[in-house]
Amino acid sequence: MSRFDPRGRRNRALLVGVSEYDHTAPDPQGVSGQLPAVLHNRRVLEDALHRGGVFRAGEIRVLASPAPDDFTGELRRAVRETEGLLLLYFAGHAVVTDTSTHKLHLQMRTARVVAGEELPGAVSFAGVLGELCAPQSRAEKVLVILDCCYAGNAAAIWHRFEAPQESKERILLLMSVQPNRCILGGDADVATPFTRELARVLDGGGPVWLSTLYPALKRRMAEAGYEAEDNDRQKPQALAPPWNPDADILLAAGPAPAPVPSPAPAPVPDPASAPVPSAAPAPVPDPASAPVPSPTPAPAPNLAPAPAPVTTPAPAPVPPPPAPPARPRPGSRVRHPYPSRPRRRLRAAADRLGRTALTLLLALVATGTGGYGLFALIGGTAPCAPSLELRVLTDPDLEPAMRAAADAFVASAANTTGDGCRRSGVTVGSAGAADVVTALGERTDAWQQPREDDNPQRDIGPQPDVWIPATRADVDRVNQAAAREDRVFARLEPAAGPIAYSPVVLAVPKALDAGLDPTGRSLSRLVTDLRRADGRAELRRPDPEFTDAALLATMALHGERADARGAELSVTRAGRPEPSAVRLLCALPDDDAVDDRSAALVPEFLLKSGIGCHPATRAPRVAVYPDDVPGLEPAFVRVRWEDGDRDAEARDDAVDRFRAWLTGEGGLAVLGEHGFRSATGERRLLTPRQVPESLAEFVRPARPARAADMDLALERYANAHGPGRVLYLLDSSGSMAGRWDGDSGGPGILKQTLPGLGGEDEYGVWAVHGVGGRTHTELLRFTTHARADAERHLDAARWRDAEADPAAALRDALEFMAERGAGDERPQLIVYLTDGEDDNRLTGRALRDVLDRAGGAGVPVAMVSLTSSGCDQGRPATRIAEAGRGRCLDAGDDLVPALHDEVARTGMGEE
């Protein structure tokens, strides 16, 4: 190992200077004062590092008086990005909570001084070391420079810090003062003494190594006579002199030294004269040592220019020691080139006893070694080497079919050598489509170097070699997002053309007998016609944030100019939607009545292949083909990761073989069995001899999906299901006196629906009473609420000795909610709970006015009657609920759970 010259590497310098504090004396919890000198510290050190030539443009970041979270976030970012030298500098106030154990805390802008171990607004130095020693750190060297009180205490913390020794040894410390000493705040016009002298040494000209920087600093500060508090000399400290040459770091570069002539190459020996090596049996790999698929590709060799050589006296030639084995990166694969010790012993036994005797010996241990071990030891040829494993990521709806295709490929001749060995394995996984698009476009750095708060390897899966999205538009979405990022660690290489095709269909139960034409209409029109044909019909759709099929259907439901909030009301929803079409079709048979009345928006291939989730019999369905829903066109995308080229040639070969097989006869046969269609032409089923009666023989595809349309639909969907608004109208007239108290009374029922609302939802309660003037009073202000506060207001509610005017109150409520929802697509709901005693004011012109407003407001109205006949056909509550596309619930229903579900559809719910 030689001294470390970081030039040409990816280096980072994070300069943290806290000159301003929110809490200072005479505040009893404030720090001792502001530090105006630190303003100069940040500038002079940044300038010196720029001139030094080790850190390039963009590699120095300055944090001016950060809060703790800002500091920690930037530190994690620097750790994640550094591959060469990471320099962390801190200047500001610092305290120790125990001088005997040296617990050092760096105080950020929000710091307060309170009794106890944990100090608000401070970051413990042990915590800083934890970030620097994190597994994702790839920095070769880390230099921490502290210019603060008690800076010298950091060395003891380093010695006691529990971390792998190789991680600790990368970290070097330069400290402005000895342990348990405070330093002076400095002059407001110049930098503090330590940083001032540090910058001067860096600017001194010529190369500046850490080993020369430290003694120069000590000498200069001693000559200047700088003092700490109590007239004590300020003496810089380092961890730990004398410097080990292998730990030295170049911090400023001088002129490049003259090149040293290369020695003449050694003569190449004549192959004919080389000794012939003795024959030896080839090592037999142990199957137990087969590599596990790595979530992080192995690093590529560093291709940066070699650092300028350092001129030193030529040492006497010494035979080079044997190279130590390379230390693997966390998560990388480790190959074991030698057979395991038990196998070596058995191999030796074979030489002594012969094959027959060894066979008998192995029979005694067969239960321990397994069939593969027996074959490897007694077979006539060497066993199969561990095969490379491809990682394939796909859409959740596609996963069953792609898994079946991968299994068939692995066992196929295309993946088998002439010796009968498997060339590669394939692991297929899936994750939410929107999450995958975001991760590949915006979070590839975190995917490559996961951290606790951002870990796609945990949330999505290992870095894929192949991505098979449901539509090529997803590739465009990723590329558009990646173009906005400073740096992207993955590159997508999509193959030309889709693999196969499957339309997204409206799967209508035969029990509905809707009689819909198979095609020729938009999805919105089909849904309207379905409900006209059978009023029992419900529309079910998986989560558009999880699968592309559901998102493509959502695009058509919303339309180009349609109201997304209104369109979402057409989808039946009780609680969270199922994440995928597979899960939806599995869940529907749990309730035969629901299954018989639910039309489902799903990929057509699932109606042919089945889903195999449980033995329940699904309701038979007929596929109806909307002409405005883009179909699924799975794309084969090679994903290349930065620093992932150690086995690139072998991995490319495996990917190419899998792609050729998947898009060829073998792969299309498997996809045909799963119900896919041809990717071109009339989109006939790949197995036309097995066309089910409920499916069309060929289909006319809608226009392909576009990235912008998908992003817009996803945004509108999120808005329409984001934080909701609910306005409760509680009949508080005198007739409610006997229906007021307890869980079955008006306030008690409303209280039981509050768990459907969360901290981001807005809601309020109007007490409805009075005629001829003001028709309601505000019982709970319309805003966000803590549940306990809302319950207290409802507990305090009282009925009034007065009549009510429900028509006037509903008109006011519809106008109020229309104003709230004018600028967005957030879900809204009006709930009117009454005993129906005042329905005589919901007749004639008053009723027609409410019906007109409810029909045009775009706000569902849930009418809740405490009488058993309140929702009979023709009653005012029923007509208002129908006009407002809401529900009517009365005492004949399971009222409280049903109303809770209505509220939960609008609100975000409690965490």
Side-chain angles (χ1 to χ4, degrees):
M1 186 184 293
S2 62
R3 296 196 290 177
F4 181 55
D5 183 344
R7 286 176 294 177
R9 311 293 182 91
R10 184 160 50 157
N11 307 310
R12 293 291 184 268
L14 181 60
L15 310 183
V16 182
V18 188
S19 55
E20 299 178 358
Y21 285 86
D22 293 345
H23 309 282
T24 59
D27 182 343
Q29 293 187 349
V31 298
S32 58
Q34 307 291 6
L35 296 174
V38 174
L39 286 169
H40 306 286
N41 286 23
R42 298 194 297 256
R43 178 181 54 80
V44 299
L45 185 56
E46 181 184 16
D47 291 345
L49 292 176
H50 272 302
R51 289 189 291 268
V54 168
F55 295 93
R56 295 172 293 190
E59 292 188 336
I60 302 176
R61 292 181 185 145
V62 178
L63 278 185
S65 303
D69 288 346
D70 297 329
F71 166 77
T72 304
E74 285 296 327
L75 177 59
R76 289 174 178 169
R77 179 181 176 186
V79 168
R80 187 174 68 248
E81 294 177 351
T82 305
E83 293 178 350
L85 169 63
L86 171 56
L87 187 153
L88 172 63
Y89 167 88
F90 173 82
H93 285 299
V95 294
V96 290
T97 53
D98 187 337
T99 55
S100 63
T101 57
H102 302 274
K103 292 183 179 179
L104 175 65
H105 300 262
L106 311 181
Q107 295 179 295
M108 303 299 159
R109 174 177 52 79
T110 58
R112 290 184 292 121
V113 180
V114 298
E117 290 289 321
E118 297 300 325
L119 299 178
V123 176
S124 73
F125 186 71
V128 171
L129 289 178
E131 296 291 348
L132 297 174
C133 292
Q136 62 265 32
S137 173
R138 293 186 291 174
E140 291 193 43
K141 294 292 181 182
V142 178
L143 175 61
V144 181
I145 303 176
L146 300 178
D147 189 2
C148 58
C149 294
Y150 307 104
N153 292 45
I157 297 172
W158 182 92
H159 283 294
R160 292 195 315 274
F161 187 75
E162 294 184 1
Q165 191 63 25
E166 63 268 23
S167 296
K168 288 179 60 174
E169 287 176 352
R170 289 180 300 159
I171 299 175
L172 302 171
L173 302 180
L174 193 58
M175 300 156 279
S176 63
V177 70
Q178 56 269 44
N180 299 325
R181 299 291 194 280
C182 278
I183 58 176
L184 302 176
D187 191 317
D189 297 326
V190 294
T192 57
F194 173 83
T195 299
R196 187 163 70 244
E197 298 299 340
L198 170 65
R200 288 172 178 170
V201 175
L202 291 172
D203 274 338
V208 179
W209 295 82
L210 184 57
S211 60
T212 59
L213 173 79
Y214 175 57
L217 267 176
K218 285 202 302 182
R219 184 183 68 254
R220 294 177 68 95
M221 294 194 72
E223 290 173 352
Y226 295 122
E227 292 184 347
E229 287 187 345
D230 300 326
N231 299 319
D232 198 2
R233 285 295 180 96
Q234 181 178 352
K235 301 176 182 179
Q237 307 290 304
L239 181 69
W243 295 105
N244 181 336
D246 291 343
D248 211 357
I249 304 171
L250 182 69
L251 297 177
V260 179
S262 301
V268 179
D270 184 355
S273 64
V276 179
S278 60
V284 180
D286 187 348
S289 67
V292 178
S294 168
T296 306
N302 194 321
L303 303 180
V310 180
T311 304
T312 56
V318 178
R327 180 169 57 90
R329 282 180 55 191
S332 64
R333 294 182 298 190
V334 182
R335 296 184 183 272
H336 300 282
Y338 305 109
S340 64
R341 180 177 297 176
R343 180 154 297 164
R344 291 197 301 270
R345 290 174 177 172
L346 289 171
R347 178 73 64 182
D351 294 336
R352 292 193 302 269
L353 301 176
R355 185 175 304 279
T356 303
L358 178 59
T359 302
L360 295 175
L361 175 63
L362 290 174
L364 299 176
V365 295
T367 55
T369 60
Y372 181 87
L374 286 173
F375 174 80
L377 289 166
I378 67 175
T381 60
C384 299
S387 59
L388 181 147
E389 193 77 11
L390 290 182
R391 300 179 295 269
V392 177
L393 179 63
T394 190
D395 185 278
D397 282 339
L398 300 180
E399 183 179 5
M402 293 304 164
R403 190 183 296 275
D407 291 344
F409 164 73
V410 168
S412 71
N415 193 47
T416 306
T417 67
D419 297 329
C421 292
R422 190 178 75 179
R423 294 179 183 273
S424 61
V426 181
T427 300
V428 178
S430 67
D435 290 340
V436 172
V437 168
T438 300
L440 285 172
E442 303 174 10
R443 299 168 58 204
T444 52
D445 57 339
W447 211 335
Q448 184 131 315
Q449 291 293 324
R451 53 185 186 268
E452 184 177 353
D453 61 332
D454 191 3
N455 189 348
Q457 290 194 22
R458 174 196 62 211
D459 303 334
I460 295 175
Q463 295 163 267
D465 303 301
V466 175
W467 177 37
I468 303 181
T471 170
R472 172 62 184 265
D474 281 345
V475 179
D476 298 333
R477 296 169 66 197
V478 168
N479 289 337
Q480 290 169 10
R484 298 189 290 267
E485 296 296 309
D486 293 336
R487 186 169 182 189
V488 179
F489 293 81
R491 186 175 76 255
L492 305 184
E493 296 178 357
I499 301 170
Y501 181 80
S502 183
V504 178
V505 300
L506 183 64
V508 181
K510 291 183 177 180
L512 289 179
D513 194 23
L516 299 177
D517 292 334
T519 188
R521 280 169 289 182
S522 68
L523 178 57
S524 297
R525 179 64 184 274
L526 285 172
V527 172
T528 300
D529 292 348
L530 173 64
R531 287 192 164 133
R532 286 177 179 170
D534 194 322
R536 299 177 302 148
E538 296 181 350
L539 179 64
R540 308 273 176 172
R541 175 202 56 194
D543 188 346
E545 294 179 321
F546 207 74
T547 67
D548 276 344
L551 180 57
L552 298 176
T554 301
M555 289 164 49
L557 275 178
H558 292 178
E560 294 183 0
R561 293 175 298 276
D563 170 29
R565 184 170 59 201
E568 288 298 317
L569 293 176
S570 67
V571 180
T572 304
R573 179 185 174 193
R576 294 188 61 83
E578 295 294 340
S580 67
V582 173
R583 292 284 297 274
L584 174 61
L585 292 175
C586 282
L588 287 176
D590 291 342
D591 187 324
D592 289 340
V594 171
D595 200 18
D596 288 341
R597 67 173 181 262
S598 295
L601 287 165
V602 296
E604 180 207 41
F605 74 87
L606 290 176
L607 300 183
K608 178 178 184 294
S609 65
I611 47 179
C613 48
H614 51 54
T617 301
R618 289 186 289 164
R621 285 178 166 80
V622 177
V624 181
Y625 299 82
D627 58 13
D628 60 345
V629 181
L632 302 189
E633 298 181 286
F636 191 99
V637 184
R638 174 73 163 103
V639 185
R640 296 188 183 277
W641 295 89
E642 184 174 304
D643 292 342
D645 54 359
R646 184 181 67 174
D647 57 358
E649 185 175 346
R651 200 161 288 274
D652 282 345
D653 176 67
V655 169
D656 290 343
R657 283 186 291 101
F658 180 47
R659 178 187 53 77
W661 182 92
L662 184 61
T663 56
E665 183 178 348
L668 295 181
V670 176
L671 296 179
E673 292 298 322
H674 277 74
F676 282 89
R677 294 177 177 267
S678 169
T680 59
E682 294 182 327
R683 307 298 201 275
R684 292 181 180 272
L685 288 165
L686 291 171
T687 52
R689 66 185 182 279
Q690 302 175 11
V691 179
E693 179 185 353
S694 59
L695 304 184
E697 183 176 353
F698 62 90
V699 297
R700 183 180 64 188
R703 61 176 176 81
R706 296 186 302 183
D709 294 339
M710 295 179 73
D711 287 337
L712 177 60
L714 197 59
E715 179 183 356
R716 298 178 73 189
Y717 170 81
N719 290 338
H721 291 274
R725 302 184 180 100
V726 177
L727 178 60
Y728 293 96
L729 276 63
L730 175 61
D731 185 349
S732 302
S733 63
S735 63
M736 288 286 292
R739 303 177 185 269
W740 196 259
D741 298 325
D743 290 343
S744 60
I749 291 173
L750 296 191
K751 281 174 60 177
Q752 294 173 75
T753 69
L754 295 180
L757 297 167
E760 297 181 52
D761 299 312
E762 296 178 292
Y763 58 99
V765 182
W766 289 358
V768 178
H769 57 86
V771 295
R774 186 173 179 82
T775 59
H776 67 272
T777 58
E778 187 176 74
L779 181 61
L780 180 66
R781 187 167 63 90
F782 193 87
T783 185
T784 57
H785 297 279
R787 180 180 168 187
D789 294 339
E791 288 180 342
R792 280 196 296 271
H793 281 83
L794 286 170
D795 288 339
R798 297 290 181 266
W799 57 272
R800 309 294 181 93
D801 187 11
E803 295 183 350
D805 187 347
L810 282 166
R811 288 195 300 268
D812 291 345
L814 288 164
E815 181 179 355
F816 178 87
M817 294 298 278
E819 292 174 354
R820 298 299 178 279
D824 56 45
E825 295 175 326
R826 287 172 54 181
Q828 300 193 105
L829 177 67
I830 294 172
V831 176
Y832 186 22
L833 188 149
T834 179
D835 61 354
E837 189 71 21
D838 296 297
D839 279 1
N840 59 322
R841 292 188 175 87
L842 274 173
T843 58
R845 182 175 179 179
L847 178 58
R848 289 194 298 273
D849 189 18
V850 172
L851 295 176
D852 289 344
R853 291 177 184 244
V859 183
V861 180
M863 298 295 292
V864 183
S865 175
L866 298 181
T867 63
S868 58
S869 60
C871 292
D872 288 352
Q873 193 65 31
R875 292 293 300 268
T878 304
R879 296 177 63 185
I880 293 169
E882 290 175 350
R885 291 185 292 183
R887 290 185 66 184
C888 188
L889 303 169
D890 62 25
D893 300 308
D894 196 357
L895 193 152
V896 173
L899 181 57
H900 174 275
D901 288 345
E902 285 297 298
V903 172
R905 288 186 63 190
T906 306
M908 298 287 284
E910 297 181 333
E911 293 296 332

